[in-house]
Amino acid sequence: MATASVADLPGGARGYLVLVALAQGEPPSQLALAKEVSLDRTVMTYLLDDLEAHDLVLRRPDPRDRRARQVVLTETGRARLGEVRRSLASAEARLLADLTDGDAEQLRALLSRVAQTAQWELVAPDEMNC
């Protein structure tokens, strides 16, 4: 269901993660964004090319370091992100329809914890066993 909700975005789920990260605040550099969403720099470059071709993001020189490029969410990108978020919320509601509100919240909390552990494992696998 989630895959279908993001299928029309360039890069699918990866494109969605990039748009979500960009919507959170200060425009990051391309390298910082790649690290934030755990993507290889080369993959990030191709993904940003696709997102930029669809007017969802733009890259501009970083005013603090003209060698770096900031990635900015466009108004079109912000609107498209809103549409995808609504589609994902609808898919989630259908998927969790048989759960009580409390059960759904508990499931979300548990999945969030699992996702945090998985993310940490990607970032610092050796530190997990310390």
Side-chain angles (χ1 to χ4, degrees), residues 28-37 39-41 44 48 68-69 71:
S29 70
Q30 212 170 295
L31 182 58
L33 180 60
K35 287 179 182 177
E36 183 177 344
V37 297
L39 285 178
D40 177 79
R41 295 184 320 204
M44 178 59 74
L48 291 176
R69 307 281 287 168
V71 183

Side-chain angles (χ1 to χ4, degrees), residues 64-75:
R64 295 165 298 210
D65 180 358
R66 306 249 334 124
R67 296 169 294 166
R69 307 281 287 168
Q70 283 183 324
V71 183
V72 180
L73 187 62
T74 64
E75 287 305 313

Side-chain angles (χ1 to χ4, degrees), residues 8-9 15-16 28 39 45 48 59-60 73 83-84 90-92 97 99-100 104 109-110 113 118 120:
D8 290 340
L9 279 178
Y16 175 73
L39 285 178
T45 299
L48 291 176
R59 289 175 275 196
R60 66 181 183 205
L73 187 62
E83 292 168 8
V84 172
S90 176
E92 180 182 284
L99 299 180
T100 67
L110 292 170
R113 288 172 46 196
W120 181 252

Side-chain angles (χ1 to χ4, degrees), residues 41-53:
R41 295 184 320 204
T42 305
V43 172
M44 178 59 74
T45 299
Y46 290 117
L47 179 56
L48 291 176
D49 288 346
D50 288 345
L51 291 168
E52 198 167 32

